[in-house]
Amino acid sequence: MKKSRSFRQHIRNRWVKLKAKLMLPMRRTDLAGALTIELTNHCTLACTCCPNGRDSSHCRPKHTLAKDDFEPLLKQIDIPLRHVFLHLHGEPFLNKDLPTMVELLVMRGVSKFTVFSNAYRTDLDVLSQMLDKLGGNELELCFSAELYDKQTYERLRHPGTFESLWQSLEAIDRLMDSHKQQYSLISI
């Protein structure tokens, strides 16, 4: 009995040390300077897995965050920002003010951007302008797409086609190459 109690205490002590060493500092340093911004809830697809998708009973009214509304919101944030996530339930590249917003965020000290997109018919002009405004800061592109199976993709990502998605991904890759922009690509 004494042996099992000391083993449980040993495991508990290890857990407390691990939590103090790894988890708590990460929360204090990484999340405090992070912000998620929904630029629009408009989308190029009507996915079954999205609240703005095929089941319109959950849809919110369509809205796009304008630059004139973005600037006052940014002024209200009183913590230093390092990382901005541009996503939620819309396609960020449909917002024509995205490059200007990125420029304002870079001037504010943001050094990392994570953009979630469905990659379907991405507006390459908006992406190109955004790349120009990044100023060498880190960009992480996350594409929500079922890349493993054509049938699954086309069933979930209505009215998207697998071929159009691949064409879009190839065009995005060429654009990133032409801008000599380092990026990490994540498929969700």
Side-chain angles (χ1 to χ4, degrees):
M1 174 99 88
K2 187 174 183 178
K3 220 177 206 182
S4 72
R5 190 178 311 149
S6 64
F7 179 73
R8 281 195 306 256
Q9 186 62 42
H10 172 74
I11 295 297
R12 185 181 179 287
N13 290 345
R14 296 290 293 179
W15 170 247
V16 169
K17 286 179 183 178
L18 178 69
K19 193 165 75 171
K21 183 177 182 181
L22 299 176
M23 297 172 124
L24 295 177
M26 179 173 60
R27 287 186 181 159
R28 283 194 302 266
T29 59
D30 291 345
L31 296 181
L35 177 68
T36 299
I37 302 171
E38 182 178 66
L39 300 172
T40 184
N41 64 357
H42 291 268
C43 194
T44 53
L45 296 174
C47 302
T48 58
C49 53
C50 180
N52 292 331
R54 290 187 200 176
D55 182 7
S56 60
S57 65
H58 300 315
C59 286
R60 298 174 289 151
K62 298 292 183 197
H63 179 73
T64 298
L65 183 62
K67 179 184 79 90
D68 294 338
D69 296 328
F70 179 73
E71 289 180 281
L73 288 174
L74 197 56
K75 289 178 183 172
Q76 292 178 27
I77 299 168
D78 60 355
I79 61 169
L81 294 175
R82 292 183 299 278
H83 188 174
V84 172
F85 297 86
L86 301 170
H87 74 102
L88 278 180
H89 299 295
E91 177 56 40
F93 296 110
L94 290 176
N95 189 325
K96 304 295 184 199
D97 288 334
L98 173 61
T100 305
M101 293 176 184
V102 166
E103 181 178 37
L104 292 169
L105 289 164
V106 167
M107 290 182 343
R108 181 84 195 265
V110 174
S111 59
K112 181 177 181 180
F113 293 85
T114 300
V115 181
F116 286 80
S117 169
N118 62 30
Y120 187 74
R121 297 186 177 159
T122 299
D123 188 330
L124 296 176
D125 290 335
V126 172
L127 176 56
S128 179
Q129 292 170 32
M130 185 189 87
L131 293 172
D132 291 338
K133 305 292 183 181
L134 273 176
N137 288 300
E138 185 178 350
L139 174 62
E140 185 176 61
L141 291 176
C142 301
F143 294 116
S144 180
E146 292 69 32
L147 300 176
Y148 46 82
D149 180 301
K150 175 183 177 174
Q151 289 76 24
T152 303
Y153 176 82
E154 291 180 355
R155 182 172 36 90
L156 297 176
R157 306 291 176 175
H158 182 75
T161 65
F162 202 66
E163 291 79 16
S164 293
L165 171 68
W166 277 110
Q167 290 170 1
S168 185
L169 288 170
E170 289 170 348
I172 290 168
D173 192 54
R174 285 191 302 273
L175 180 66
M176 300 301 278
D177 263 357
S178 72
H179 279 266
K180 295 178 178 41
Q181 174 70 42
Q182 292 287 324
Y183 70 105
S184 50
L185 176 65
I186 299 170
S187 171
I188 298 171

